[in-house]
């Protein structure tokens, strides 16, 4: 060990006569010949939050009053829906000293990819496996079944017939967009409002 090591200096290694299983360099890089296995099922990151009472499973939205921050979602169908507070992440990113060693809260671990437990409500109808989810309207921090065109936070992996509960969700954020059916309906409506058919008939008569 050196007080001023080169970035690629070997700091730790597990090896045998058949090869190196794991090594850690002075710059923090970790190398392994195999996949990392964990009971956690999501990739999560630290985010700053003024809401120090956020609980695992809650749906969070971007906080427009703070840079790189999240808050508990209070509005239904919120376009700023961001992720779900993780309860058992496999990997945690953005683990800087100010986040990792934060006293009295201030940072929350938000699931960004993979499976998480989520608090959900059936207030917008029963949740079926495969349904897209968005922020709930009447229950802050909960997710509910999304309507077409909503920004979404994930896809239900388990059902919820009624009331409120906790289910497995696959994190899958999608920005607001219109479903094909909605686009078609809007086009038809606009065409009808333009009264194109009447204009065509008038042109035929004039011809």
């Amino acid at each position: 060990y050196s007080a001023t090591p080169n970035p690629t200096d070997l700091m730790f290694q597990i090896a045998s006569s058949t090869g190196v299983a794991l090594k850690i360099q002075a710059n923090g890089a970790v190398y392994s010949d195999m996949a990392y296995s964990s009971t956690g099922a999501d990739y999560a990151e630290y985010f700053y939050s003024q809401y120090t009472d956020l609980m695992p499973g809650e749906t969070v939205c971007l906080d427009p009053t703070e840079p790189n921050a999240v808050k508990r979602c209070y509005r239904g169908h919120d376009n700023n829906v961001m992720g779900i507070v993780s309860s058992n992440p496999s990997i945690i990113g953005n683990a800087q000293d100010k986040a990792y060693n934060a006293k009295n809260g201030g940072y929350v671990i938000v699931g960004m990819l993979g499976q998480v437990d989520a608090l959900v409500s059936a207030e917008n109808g029963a949740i079926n496996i495969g349904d897209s989810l968005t922020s709930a309207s009447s229950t802050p921090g909960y997710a509910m079944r999304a309507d077409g065109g909503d920004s979404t936070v994930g896809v239900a992996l388990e059902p919820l017939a009624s009331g409120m509960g906790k289910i497995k969700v696959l994190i899958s954020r999608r920005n607001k967009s219109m479903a094909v059916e909605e686009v078609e309906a809007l086009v038809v409506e606009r065409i009808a409002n333009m009264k194109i058919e009447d204009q065509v008939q008038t042109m035929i008569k004039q011809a």
Side-chain angles (χ1 to χ4, degrees):
Y1 176 78
S2 170
T4 56
N6 293 319
T8 57
D9 282 354
L10 188 63
M11 302 292 288
F12 179 79
Q13 177 174 286
I14 299 176
S16 69
S17 58
T18 58
V20 177
L22 176 73
K23 67 178 181 180
I24 302 175
Q25 293 181 171
N27 60 3
V30 179
Y31 296 88
S32 173
D33 288 343
M34 298 295 291
Y36 175 75
S37 298
S38 168
T39 57
D42 67 281
Y43 166 75
E45 292 184 2
Y46 278 102
F47 282 89
Y48 175 76
S49 181
Q50 300 181 65
Y51 293 73
T52 58
D53 60 342
L54 284 168
M55 301 295 291
E58 287 198 77
T59 297
V60 293
C61 292
L62 289 172
D63 186 347
T65 68
E66 294 280 350
N68 198 32
V70 297
K71 66 176 184 176
R72 178 179 290 113
C73 293
Y74 279 91
R75 296 187 308 169
H77 315 273
D78 198 320
N79 291 336
N80 288 325
V81 66
M82 171 85 171
I84 297 171
V85 180
S86 179
S87 58
N88 184 29
S90 175
I91 299 175
I92 305 175
N94 195 32
Q96 305 174 45
D97 286 343
K98 62 181 180 180
Y100 190 74
N101 298 318
K103 307 291 185 182
N104 303 319
Y107 282 83
V108 63
I109 300 172
V110 180
M112 307 298 291
L113 294 168
Q115 302 177 47
V116 296
D117 291 326
L119 299 171
V120 294
S121 167
E123 61 190 70
N124 199 36
I127 297 173
N128 298 308
I129 295 174
D131 281 347
S132 293
L133 304 175
T134 188
S135 56
S137 297
S138 62
T139 315
Y142 277 62
M144 67 180 183
R145 191 181 70 184
D147 294 329
D150 283 343
S151 292
T152 62
V153 69
V155 175
L157 298 176
E158 296 175 330
L160 180 75
S162 61
M164 296 185 294
K166 182 182 290 186
I167 65 171
K168 287 286 186 184
V169 168
L170 177 66
I171 294 289
S172 178
R173 189 179 186 280
R174 184 185 66 196
N175 292 330
K176 185 175 183 179
S177 61
M178 300 187 73
V180 174
E181 295 80 4
E182 291 179 307
V183 174
E184 291 176 345
L186 184 59
V187 170
V188 170
E189 180 183 355
R190 288 180 176 174
I191 290 176
N193 290 338
M194 292 170 63
K195 299 182 179 178
I196 290 179
E197 185 175 351
D198 292 342
Q199 294 179 20
V200 171
Q201 293 298 329
T202 300
M203 292 172 65
I204 292 174
K205 290 179 181 179
Q206 290 176 348

